[in-house]
């Protein structure tokens, strides 16, 4: 079993599993963030639940570990591919010509990582370790996370641009990563690859469009 995880196939398997785990997180994260467009009380209640729920506290380190493993293994596999293919050439994939995202997954991943760091500094770090204003919703005293997020989107248009670009990079990354993850796990027959590609494109559009719509909402409305 130890040889499996150190092999090329094992590393790709780990990449796929962590990728699917992170995609599930993106769905949950987008669902919660979409409440920003519903109202301040609704979003603050959801944010308060996420911060105080014991189950979320358990998931957080697993999520961080998933990101770290996914990033490390993607970097390792990219370097291995480059060293074993010193001469660049056009590669035809089993189910057709490779796409731009598939050829630039590492670059897209790097851009997403830069955006993630900016995102964590501006939101997660301030909520967890900083001091932000508080509000009372239905008798419960909680941090005004809505005020933190909305003020950033309203007052700094360039951050809206960064957020939209981050969403686009994420969507491009997912457009290949979604079906590729399932292909590595064995869903690689011609019929299922076609289906997974279509589902992946829809998923990537939903995720990218959903995250991009949030800063645009505040930019346009306010």
């Amino acid at each position: 079993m130890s040889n499996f995880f150190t092999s090329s196939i094992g590393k790709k398997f780990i990449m796929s599993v962590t990728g699917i785990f992170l995609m599930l997180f993106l769905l949950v994260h987008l669902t919660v963030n979409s409440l920003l467009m519903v109202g301040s009380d609704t979003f603050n209640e959801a944010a308060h639940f996420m911060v105080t729920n014991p189950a979320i506290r358990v998931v957080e380190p697993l999520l961080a570990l998933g990101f770290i493993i996914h990033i490390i293994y993607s970097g390792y596999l990219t370097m291995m591919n480059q060293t074993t293919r010193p001469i660049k050439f056009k590669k035809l994939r089993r189910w057709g010509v490779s796409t731009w995202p598939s050829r630039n997954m590492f670059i897209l991943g790097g851009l997403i990582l830069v955006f993630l760091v900016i995102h964590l500094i501006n939101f997660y770090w301030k909520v967890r370790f900083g001091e932000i204003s508080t509000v009372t919703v239905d008798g419960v005293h909680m941090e005004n996370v809505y005020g933190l997020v909305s003020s950033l989107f309203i007052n700094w248009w360039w951050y809206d641009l960064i957020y939209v670009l981050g969403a686009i990079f994420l969507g491009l990354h997912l457009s290949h990563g979604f079906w590729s993850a399932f292909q590595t796990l064995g869903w690689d027959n011609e019929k299922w690859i076609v289906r997974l590609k279509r589902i992946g494109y829809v998923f990537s559009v939903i995720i990218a469009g959903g995250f991009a719509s949030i800063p645009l909402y505040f930019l346009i409305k306010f």
Side-chain angles (χ1 to χ4, degrees), residues 97-142:
V97 179
S98 62
T99 61
W100 186 88
S102 69
R103 297 190 302 271
N104 295 276
M105 288 293 282
F106 187 70
I107 295 175
L108 288 170
L111 293 171
I112 294 169
L113 178 60
V114 172
F115 167 74
L116 178 63
V117 171
I118 295 173
H119 180 74
L120 291 174
I121 292 173
N122 283 284
F123 295 128
Y124 179 84
W125 186 266
K126 291 181 179 179
V127 172
R128 285 296 193 190
F129 307 106
E131 293 184 3
I132 63 176
S133 62
T134 58
V135 293
T136 301
V137 181
D138 294 332
V140 179
H141 199 59
M142 61 187 68

Side-chain angles (χ1 to χ4, degrees), residues 14-151:
I14 294 174
M15 280 284 293
S16 298
V17 172
T18 55
I20 292 173
F21 172 66
L22 295 175
M23 286 188 286
L24 291 173
F25 161 74
L26 287 173
L27 278 176
V28 175
H29 193 52
L30 176 59
T31 300
V32 174
N33 282 13
S34 295
L35 297 178
L36 282 161
M37 297 181 287
V38 176
S40 59
D41 288 352
T42 302
F43 178 75
N44 278 330
E45 287 181 310
H48 181 70
F49 171 80
M50 297 296 287
V51 171
T52 58
N53 190 295
I56 302 300
R57 293 297 182 93
V58 174
V59 172
E60 276 188 351
L62 295 177
L63 179 63
L65 183 62
F67 270 112
I68 293 172
I69 292 175
H70 195 76
I71 292 169
I72 291 175
Y73 273 72
S74 65
Y76 177 81
L77 290 173
T78 299
M79 288 188 293
M80 289 297 296
N81 289 336
Q82 290 178 344
T83 55
T84 55
R85 296 172 186 165
I87 301 176
K88 295 183 179 180
F89 62 93
K90 292 183 179 180
K91 178 183 177 183
L92 293 179
R93 294 192 175 273
R94 183 178 176 185
W95 307 120
V97 179
S98 62
T99 61
W100 186 88
S102 69
R103 297 190 302 271
N104 295 276
M105 288 293 282
F106 187 70
I107 295 175
L108 288 170
L111 293 171
I112 294 169
L113 178 60
V114 172
F115 167 74
L116 178 63
V117 171
I118 295 173
H119 180 74
L120 291 174
I121 292 173
N122 283 284
F123 295 128
Y124 179 84
W125 186 266
K126 291 181 179 179
V127 172
R128 285 296 193 190
F129 307 106
E131 293 184 3
I132 63 176
S133 62
T134 58
V135 293
T136 301
V137 181
D138 294 332
V140 179
H141 199 59
M142 61 187 68
E143 294 177 316
N144 185 17
V145 184
Y146 177 90
L148 171 67
V149 177
S150 61
S151 63

